[in-house]
Amino acid sequence: MIPKIILGKGPKAVRRTIGYLFGKGRANEHVDPHLVASWNDFAPDPGRSPHRDPKDAMDQLVAQLDQPVQMLGDKAPKYTVWHCPVRAAPEDPILTDAQWADIARRMVVAAGVAPEGDDDACRWVAVRHAEDHIHIAATLVRQDGRRPQRDYDQRAVQREARKIEVDYGLRRLKPGDGTAAKRPTSKEHFKAKRLGQDATSRDILRLRVRRAVAAASSEAEFFALLEATGVDVRPKTELSGDVTGYSVALPGDVNKQDEPVWYAGSTLASDLSLPKIRQRLADIGPEPAAIPPGNPWHQATAATERIPHHLTHGDEHAAQGQLVALGAALDLLPLTAPAAVRGELERGAAAFERATRSRVAADHDSARVLRRSINAIWRTPSPGGDGSSLAMLIDAALTAVAFARHWHRTRQHAQQEAAAEQALLHLQTAYAQIAGPVLDSLAHRAPTLHTKHRFAQHLQQAVPEYAGRILEDSAWDALAAVLADAEKAGHNVATVLDNAASQRTLDDARSPARALTWRIQRLGQRHVPSARAQAAKARSTTQPPTAPVHTAATAPAPQPPQARRR
């Protein structure tokens, strides 16, 4: 159940609100509008007044609701109407008028608009014109002339909605923390339908702004990318000439005055305000260290594989920064994908967007490599080959999203946890569509049984705790094929297996066989060490050291925690 508070201002706010609630609606969607409850239980009902002209009944209702406001004259508050639509979920049972009346009373009590037993509280009505929702309208002056105490009323009605869901057996929504993006209004939905848009202008703009932030390396590039995607941009400039904000609009989306409908970045989402965008761009700016040359798909996959370690061993701010970077990667990934999976990837990114925001401040510095490698992919989007580059990146993202879900769960971020869960479903569908053909193609190139037996022996030595699962996995033939490719390219199979297994633990891999397949494919495409280097490495592993203590020049470099095998 979703309650949403809207405030109305102006001398005619009450009449406008009541006129809308008892009217036909913007798309003739209002059917049988009528009162289900009111402050005194006998207010005039313009929808069901058989012995009274509906217009007269509406005039009387407006006058009675507005009386406390009119008594204050020039001392009336700026906002005079409290309007709260309350909507049930599509799968919820149809509630009766009496049940909706009870819900309306609970809402006005919870909000502080009409405390229980307070005869001088604000006047209010609840109007029903559809099976799945009601509208509660109240005037924001009490009958004794004072203002209602409605501090944090949005949070209060949300808490009450969670209780109502339990009491009436309705779909139970997740409690929020105030970081969710603003939902489109009913008016915006109807307008999108009239314009033939699949989504509201607000949702379209939010996606385009997020993608521009993900792709940009500077503020100027951010605005240029927005304009390149067909978005009208209007910077907010102070008298000093400083740009302190921005608004965006879609061409063709105009109001009654034929003027563009502008949305400030901060109203699209809290993290899309210009100060927040500037902070992200500064934190991942190009000054410190650029990405080393190489395959950006492989670099992005390796960085994504390290996200679980950041979430389980890093501090909260670095972990939140990783989630923001992962969300940016998912935002851009559909632009690089084949049309067949683009829709699922877009839905996965849209779902995960909610999991990228929480009350934890993000430290973006730890996610530089992922951000820059994804940016490089976006600039040259084609993964080439058979789709394995995209498959291995999605495979790593699946594990990262699963860890994000757990990270939010342990911190009781209910909405973010649910968003990560939803994103997983879409990403799993996309992964199956991409990875299935790739793995099947590799399996058809599997080496001979004798070679597979030799590889299995190396596997037993490299990852003895996973060898049994891997050899029984349907992806074993694909793994054997990439091992054969690496060997053909000049790599030592045992060394490649050791390197792949030591990149990070396989404990959290959904399929160790597939995880090793993607890792070995990346390793196999790297430059093969020279014969002299391989001989030196072979000598160093076969000859025991002459002294038990290493010098500084010969001591092995310590591995980072995420690279050690368990």
Side-chain angles (χ1 to χ4, degrees), residues 220-235:
E221 186 179 18
F222 163 68
F223 286 122
L225 287 172
L226 274 181
E227 292 176 344
T229 60
V231 174
D232 293 332
V233 182
R234 183 177 66 182

Side-chain angles (χ1 to χ4, degrees), residues 454-463 470 476 479 482-483 486 491-503 506 516-517 519-520 523 565:
R454 179 164 56 86
F455 289 166
Q457 291 178 325
H458 289 305
L459 193 68
Q460 292 283 359
Q461 294 176 353
V463 284
I470 292 172
W476 162 234
L479 173 55
V482 296
L483 282 171
H491 291 279
N492 181 282
V493 170
T495 302
V496 169
L497 270 171
D498 280 335
N499 289 342
S502 64
Q503 283 185 351
L506 292 169
L516 283 179
T517 299
R519 292 181 193 178
I520 289 168
L523 291 170
R565 288 172 54 199

Side-chain angles (χ1 to χ4, degrees), residues 359-381:
R359 290 292 181 184
V360 179
D363 173 11
H364 302 288
D365 187 67
S366 66
R368 288 175 182 269
V369 174
L370 175 58
R371 171 64 189 266
R372 291 177 184 172
S373 56
I374 287 294
N375 192 276
I377 290 173
W378 172 77
R379 293 178 189 280
T380 54

Side-chain angles (χ1 to χ4, degrees), residues 89-151:
E91 63 269 28
D92 285 339
I94 297 175
L95 302 177
T96 65
D97 281 358
Q99 289 172 321
W100 277 119
D102 175 61
I103 290 170
R105 293 187 182 95
R106 292 175 63 167
M107 286 294 177
V108 294
V109 170
V113 170
E116 193 169 6
D118 187 348
D119 294 335
D120 291 325
C122 297
R123 296 182 177 185
W124 61 273
V125 293
V127 180
R128 182 180 188 181
H129 49 53
E131 292 182 337
D132 63 346
H133 71 279
I134 59 170
H135 292 256
I136 308 170
T139 44
L140 288 175
V141 176
R142 291 165 48 86
Q143 296 180 74
D144 56 11
R146 295 183 294 143
R147 310 288 192 276
Q149 296 295 321
R150 56 179 193 86
D151 296 337

Side-chain angles (χ1 to χ4, degrees), residues 161-179:
R162 304 293 82 78
K163 298 176 184 177
I164 291 171
E165 290 161 0
V166 174
D167 294 344
Y168 280 92
L170 307 178
R171 176 187 174 188
R172 300 178 65 174
L173 301 183
K174 305 293 184 182
D177 58 2
T179 61

